[in-house]
Amino acid sequence: NAPAGDVKGVHLSAIYGKTGNVTGWEWPLLAFSDTASMKGVSFSPFLLSASRVRGEMMGVTLGVFTLQEGQSTGVNLNAVNITNNVNGLNWSFANISSGYTVADVGFLNISKKSNFQLSAVNITEELNGLQIGLLNCAKNGFLPCFVFFNFGSAGN
């Protein structure tokens, strides 16, 4: 874990790296990176690499797996995105969000509330926009589940 504490520049970690706020580039090398907040680029391309941001994330994540517990602003391009609130784009095989997302693109999208989902399977409790996929489920959709598309309905 180098350097420890708040980082402005590049934070490298091998096996496990826990640090404070990162402004710049986060790079876990075959590692699990655990940061308080992130502003910049998190790059974890290796199969055993992952990043966790406990607070706010602003920027881009690229890699295999990301876990973001706070507000995210930017783009998440990973094999798996597990997020809370995302003001931006989640693009991965599986996007799982416990809060609000603006746009999710992947094979499986699950969120509490969303504006747009494009995937084979889309599931949300509250849809403010459009779902496109093979199966689209939203509690407030024009139908609770529908094939090919679904859109939010204010009446439900």
Side-chain angles (χ1 to χ4, degrees):
N1 184 34
D6 289 349
V7 176
K8 290 187 178 180
V10 178
H11 180 251
L12 300 172
S13 53
I15 301 175
Y16 177 75
K18 185 172 183 177
T19 193
N21 304 312
V22 175
T23 302
W25 187 8
E26 174 72 30
W27 194 9
L29 302 168
L30 302 174
F32 180 76
S33 172
D34 186 351
T35 60
S37 72
M38 175 72 202
K39 292 181 182 177
V41 176
S42 178
F43 183 62
S44 56
F46 302 109
L47 184 58
L48 300 175
S49 298
S51 66
R52 173 186 180 205
V53 180
R54 289 174 268 124
E56 183 178 17
M57 176 17 206
M58 294 180 68
V60 177
T61 62
L62 302 162
V64 178
F65 177 82
T66 188
L67 170 61
Q68 298 174 11
E69 298 170 1
Q71 175 68 37
S72 301
T73 303
V75 178
N76 299 308
L77 301 168
N78 298 280
V80 176
N81 291 318
I82 297 179
T83 59
N84 183 20
N85 293 318
V86 179
N87 186 13
L89 172 65
N90 277 333
W91 189 326
S92 82
F93 179 79
N95 296 301
I96 301 168
S97 181
S98 59
Y100 167 75
T101 61
V102 171
D104 298 317
V105 177
F107 181 78
L108 171 66
N109 296 320
I110 300 172
S111 70
K112 177 123 176 124
K113 182 177 178 181
S114 188
N115 278 358
F116 177 75
Q117 293 181 318
L118 174 65
S119 172
V121 177
N122 297 302
I123 301 168
T124 188
E125 288 184 27
E126 185 178 338
L127 179 60
N128 291 335
L130 179 66
Q131 293 174 316
I132 300 172
L134 298 177
L135 179 62
N136 305 284
C137 297
K139 285 185 179 179
N140 71 324
F142 84 97
L143 288 175
C145 284
F146 196 69
V147 294
F148 304 122
F149 70 94
N150 202 352
F151 54 88
S153 172
N156 291 343

